[in-house]
Amino acid sequence: MSSPAAERTPGTAADTEVLREVQNRVLWLSTAIIDHANRVRPNPTGLKVGGHQASSASMVSIMTALWFARLRAEDRVSVKPHASPVLHAINYLLDGLDEKYLTSLREFGGLQSYPSRSKDPDQVDYSTGSVGIGATAPIWGALARRYVESTTGGAGTGRQYSLVGDAELDEGAVWESILDPNVQELGEVVWIVDLNRQSLDRVVPNIGATRLQGMFDEAGWQVLTVKYGRLLQELFERPGGEALRRRIDDMPNPEYQRLLRCTPAQLRERLASAELAPLLDSLDDETLHAAIRNLGGHDLSALLDSFDAIDDRRPTVIFAYTVKGFGLASEGHPQNHSSLLTAEQLGQLAERVGTSVDDPWHKFPEGSAAARLCAETAARLHREPVVAHEVPAIPADIGRTPSGRTTTQAALGRALLDLTREAPEAAKLVVTLCPDVSSSTNLGGWVNKVGVWSPQERVDWFADDPETILHWRERPTGQHLELGIAEVNLVSALGELGTTWSRWGRPLLPIGVLYDPFVERALEPWSFGIYGGGQSILVGTPSGVTLAPEGGAHQSVTTPSVGLEQPGCITYEPAFAIDVEWTLLASLGRLGRPDGTSAYLRLSTRPVEQNLAAVPTDLAARERRRRQVVAGAYPIRTAAVARPDVTIVAMGAMVTEALAAADRLDALGKHADVVCVTSAGLLFRALQARSGQDTADTWILDSALPSERSAPMVTVLDGHPHTLAFLAGVHRVRAAHLGVTRFGQSGDLESVYRHHGIDTDSIIRAALDVAD
């Protein structure tokens, strides 16, 4: 996959000098971008703007060497959050960013605080900012590229680089991703760790680089280390040099960092020893001062050598030792994380790198060696605009009417199998993911039908076992991905599979299935994937306290409202199998396009009588019901009176209790309408639109909750009651809201429902209270 170094970059001393000139300009631009945002741009509020000059500076050498000497157009890079000004500076030098944006960092409509694929005006491969999530994204990007290439084609090749801050390695998401069995074969993945050994507050005393290197090695990664630059390496060869190496290697991080703040005289005093005397006496002050900060992460030649040593047969991590704030007056200071250079210090930097505070954004002179390198790099990295293929037509209604008793969880697998028959071209784009719960979430039939995806075909050793029900056929054309038991990995991969339409113009229809109690654990990376343009469907099942035998720890309470609140996502909680089919098909139809959106389906393991859905037999009436289901709600029972005494609004499997309560209320002389809500979020948007707060259609409110039938209301769901509480505001009626607000406990369904006050008796009592 990688081309020879000689084909990609020059290697002479003169070439390195040009790279160094570009490096200095990138350092200046990234520093000046932050300075302008904080000190030059008017700030009437006086609130902190922020930015990270020191964190950017530690990445300048690495990113200069990578972009201007090794990167290719087919490669993709995730840039650590605090180095976003460096990325923008490079894009500006490559004519990929208009000069007007250099003064707009963290300004409304300007450059984002952290790299944003969806909001920045220049080329950003991965959104970062949530520490650890952006770092791992290229792993799942590599997996998504391989999946596309082996199933539909058109994704090509290319390395997936991740520029990681060393503090990000504290995040559990990092190690969850590294340890997933799928990752060991992804040789295109390259991490470069900015090992500056500082966090926000301090110099980290025991960062344990050797331990970290060992952990990557044990996970099957190639581990490369760029610790010392050429100057230090040359000094190590002199008399006393080995003693200097041992002295630096053995000293704790804070002691080394303190040396960066010393004058040459202070350095001689602190390093003084009989072993080091011959070497120190031979060095002038300038050389000694330069040597102590000559780490490999700032030595362009050493960095290029490490890039050329990458083995594309397995993932690679490069530990590049750096100095936080390298080249700035604040370099090495333990509190330099968010510090800003003074006006005097900025002027000194400008003079040192050959630019001007008065004209901060000028580029290299036309015809100069640096200008030619920028032009050549821009041409090498040029990408043609992505032309997105359209998703084949997805039917709105497959036409079956489920009968008998079944669960919405089981209906998911049934709907996917039906799709393979009714719309085979669209079904080929579906890819399902699970964290080791395929069989327990009713995906077994789908997995047997489409097979499991693997970069290479593997032997199914149980193919001839007559007692094997779930057939695990692994091949490059499979459409199911099984990850380890780590929900963060699942949704991170889901997000990247959901971006293929915009990365390579090859849309997929990704569906991730996990236990609903763990949706909140997975929400941050999935949300971040949506922010970065990933469009996917997340299915949480089983859900709620309906999972009674599993106990309180496995009963999801807040997920209905979490889904309602998630930007870029439509949440459904279907009550019946037909509702699952219709909402799933509608959700698939919104994927893989510029105006697309993700979806979250909350499903249940509770069997429900399907005839309760009363699906109309007339085709026009059936279509009307389908539209209502997809839009968020439908009346499932209308009392035979001009105006009911109470309206019972139920969501999901609780519709059974709602209908039973309506029957008993009728016997008590209280007439009840029953409305089945499929999407609280869509109803909330419709209500907001009524007052001009949203642009959503409002017809669903008139259809499901017509004003002429407004009555006191009882809402009920297997989740937190505030999810539906806003519906009382549609017609400003008295209301009672039933749901789950406490941790549950093991037990039979009737007992657990009674414990939480969502059983039929509780609905009746609440209805009588509000109707009086």
Side-chain angles (χ1 to χ4, degrees), residues 210-427:
T210 302
R211 175 175 53 85
L212 294 171
Q213 291 160 348
M215 293 167 71
F216 276 95
D217 182 65
E218 288 296 319
W221 288 49
Q222 178 192 23
V223 179
L224 302 174
T225 302
V226 190
K227 186 169 185 179
Y228 296 120
R230 295 298 172 85
L231 173 58
L232 269 178
Q233 291 182 50
E234 190 273 328
L235 294 181
F236 293 156
E237 299 300 317
R238 297 187 189 181
E242 188 55 36
L244 177 62
R245 182 198 290 272
R246 288 196 307 272
R247 180 76 172 86
I248 295 176
D249 283 345
D250 292 344
M251 68 175 59
N253 292 331
E255 181 184 359
Y256 174 78
Q257 293 286 116
R258 183 62 185 90
L259 296 182
L260 299 172
R261 310 293 298 170
C262 290
T263 64
Q266 292 170 330
L267 284 174
R268 294 182 189 280
E269 180 181 347
R270 288 173 180 265
L271 294 174
S273 71
E275 286 185 305
L276 282 174
L279 180 62
L280 295 179
D281 290 344
S282 70
L283 302 179
D284 57 40
D285 286 352
E286 183 179 352
T287 302
L288 178 60
H289 188 266
I292 207 65
R293 56 196 18 83
N294 182 228
L295 298 182
H298 301 299
D299 189 296
L300 295 169
S301 297
L303 286 167
L304 296 180
D305 288 346
S306 71
F307 297 159
D308 292 337
I310 293 171
D311 178 0
D312 289 321
R313 293 170 298 180
R314 55 179 174 153
T316 296
V317 60
I318 300 172
F319 285 89
Y321 281 71
T322 61
V323 173
K324 193 166 184 175
F326 183 78
L328 305 181
S330 61
E331 68 178 5
H333 194 284
Q335 279 85 51
N336 66 6
H337 183 78
S338 298
S339 67
L340 295 170
L341 298 188
T342 65
E344 181 182 1
Q345 291 169 338
L346 189 72
Q348 293 169 349
L349 175 64
E351 183 178 357
R352 181 166 62 80
V353 301
T355 187
S356 167
V357 172
D358 298 325
D359 185 16
W361 317 123
H362 75 274
K363 294 184 177 180
F364 295 111
E366 187 175 350
S368 66
R372 287 196 300 272
L373 177 59
C374 290
E376 291 165 1
T377 300
R380 170 167 46 84
L381 299 181
H382 174 74
R383 299 175 189 165
E384 293 297 328
V386 172
V387 178
H389 292 222
E390 290 189 7
V391 175
I394 295 172
D397 185 353
I398 290 174
R400 288 194 313 109
T401 303
S403 58
R405 281 170 60 85
T406 190
T407 70
T408 53
Q409 175 179 290
L412 173 68
R414 176 80 257 176
L416 288 173
L417 288 173
D418 286 344
L419 187 66
T420 64
R421 288 186 288 270
E422 297 298 319
E425 291 306 309

